[in-house]
Amino acid sequence: MAFLRLYARVLGALGPERRLAAVLAVINAALAVALFAEPILFGRVVDTLVRAQAAAQAPSLAALLPQLAAWTAFGLFTIAAGVAIALHADRLAHRRRLGIMSAYFEHVLQLPLGFHGHVHSGRLLKVMLQGADGLWGLWLAFFREQCAGLVALVVLLPVAVWVNARLGLLLVALLALFAGLTWYVLGRTQAMQRHVEALQSDLAERSADALGNVAVIQSFTRVEAEVRGLRETMENVLAAQIPVLSWWALVSVATRAATTLTILTIFLVGTWLHLHGMASIGEIVTFVGFATMLVGRLDQMVGFANRLLLDAPRLAEFFSVLDTVANVRDRPDAAPLGPVAGAVAFEDVSFSYDGRRSALNGVSFSVRPGETVALVGATGAGKSTALALLHRAFDPQSGRITVDGRDIREVRLASLRHAIGVVFQEAMLFNRSIEENLRVGRPDATPEQIARALERAQAADFVARQSEGLATVVGERGRALSGGERQRLAIARALLKDPPILILDEATSALDAGTEAKLQAALDAVMKGRTTFVIAHRLATIRNADRILLFDEGRVVEAGRFDELVRLGGRFAALAKAQFMSGGSATGTAPPAET
């Protein structure tokens, strides 16, 4: 039943091509019925010839002509129907393959970061490619072979019993025998193939991991170890796949042997029935044709079952990803955010990634429009989590976050994120040109706006030095550039977006001291007039913040301006003292004296 449900899901995924699919199904049904005309008409022609021979007369043209004309008409129809199916089935399958890949890609990109944090990108890519290819192959096979084959089997048995009940029941028994064998093998190999597919996913993850960390592999001389590990995984895949292939090889041999055995059985039983006056020679010829058709259809069904078995785990995984419901999504009544002044408030916000340990616990604070707020604290204190909640990478389990007094869960996600610009600690550039990477922030930006954003981000000089300027391709994840160059492009991308709310997550961590000082001055100018949140570990970079929030174990434990917190003599003062005394300041300026 699981196979039948999966196959129904595959056909249901035809989506916008349903009308053409229905037309092709009708043509297939007509083609399947027409295929029975040949053995029936052939048998009747033989009977006409035998009767004429028994009467010692020449065959009557008047008796043969209608049968031969009908035979010819059915033959021409099968040719035309076959051509129509071949042309349109291919086009339908290829269109839907691209359509389902596009739908999968769009769906995955909209899934929350929590999902992507637990599922490897290599696995997602493998699931997309193999799932779409599996669907394409099954759609093509259904309209080219399976649809007509299924109709033929449904029509064949009643027609066979009607033509001759005894020979017809013999065909029913043979069909039941081979169906039982196929079902038995399906039961034996289904779990085995799921294990194979799990190993294939491990193989995809391991390969993607290695290719994504080539620098580490080469630096730590891990090439041989990684290749060895990949080969071991491949050997595990092969060891798990061989038993499945062996079972289906047995079914294939049995099906091919059935051709000779079935025809021989029909001929022997038919001869005995003829000798006892219970079957004509024409009926024997008809049933030999039926048997040949039956065995051919059974061979197709076995091939289909084998293919579906191999593809079932991939398709199940594909549909599982498509069925994943984003826990961060627009409500039915969500409205656009509209013009944003930039007031932000956290009201008793709590959040946990795993449901056991709190990442945020009852956090409350408010930010006025245009204010710059710095978030500091140890790693894991909750700084990044708080700002991830602001742009709805996740939703809090309790409490609420507002922008200009509106709960961000009540506005459209796209409009919220359009109002927020984020510079991540890692630049996250695409393997595209510099200009394309910048236009991610603002697709309709003018050349003047792009140039101004580069100037503000201290990136204009190094872009001008590139051989192809803005057309220079930066490589996978920006690897053709230095760390500082990547980060400056990421900052320029956010500045080009010109959002009313700006988030800087360690935005200057990859820059040298000189560039950081220049960029900090530029950022200070850019931050004026817009609400800005800054996550920083180097406290010297946030001395001019309007307010500093010190996070500890998911709570805001201290809040105030830099000088106020130092004078307070609490945790922030201890942290500042430790950094400046150890040379952690980017500027080398000592903190104000405590009073």
Side-chain angles (χ1 to χ4, degrees), residues 29 32-34 36 148-161 290:
V33 173
F36 287 100
L150 291 170
V151 174
L153 288 176
V154 171
V155 173
L156 171 63
L157 300 181
V159 170
V161 173
F290 281 169

Side-chain angles (χ1 to χ4, degrees), residues 465-512:
R465 290 196 300 269
Q466 302 297 317
S467 59
E468 298 181 49
L470 287 171
T472 301
V473 176
V474 302
E476 184 179 0
R477 303 181 73 86
R479 287 176 180 163
L481 306 176
S482 70
E485 290 170 343
R486 290 196 296 267
Q487 199 67 1
R488 279 180 275 174
L489 284 185
I491 294 170
R493 179 173 61 190
L495 297 181
L496 186 63
K497 186 178 180 180
D498 194 25
I501 300 173
L502 183 64
I503 296 175
L504 304 175
D505 187 353
E506 289 285 349
T508 61
S509 61
L511 305 179
D512 60 83

Side-chain angles (χ1 to χ4, degrees), residues 144-261:
R144 280 188 169 183
E145 299 173 354
Q146 305 310 327
C147 184
L150 291 170
V151 174
L153 288 176
V154 171
V155 173
L156 171 63
L157 300 181
V159 170
V161 173
W162 172 70
V163 173
N164 188 296
R166 294 173 180 84
L167 291 174
L169 291 174
L170 178 60
L171 281 180
V172 172
L174 289 170
L175 176 62
L177 175 64
F178 289 115
L181 175 62
T182 303
W183 198 258
Y184 173 75
V185 173
L186 276 174
R188 289 296 301 268
T189 56
Q190 188 173 0
M192 297 164 64
Q193 186 59 35
R194 283 199 298 268
H195 178 56
V196 171
E197 196 56 34
L199 291 173
Q200 293 276 19
S201 295
D202 291 342
L203 184 63
E205 287 187 11
R206 192 178 187 93
S207 301
D209 251 351
L211 293 174
N213 293 283
V214 171
V216 176
I217 290 172
Q218 292 180 353
S219 175
F220 287 85
T221 60
R222 289 278 305 173
V223 173
E224 291 184 5
E226 290 297 323
V227 171
R228 185 168 58 252
L230 192 67
R231 286 175 179 166
E232 288 175 359
T233 306
M234 289 177 175
E235 289 170 0
N236 292 335
V237 170
L238 191 59
Q241 186 73 79
I242 291 297
V244 178
L245 299 178
S246 299
W247 275 106
W248 284 99
L250 175 64
V251 175
S252 179
V253 170
T255 304
R256 295 180 186 279
T259 304
T260 302
L261 295 175

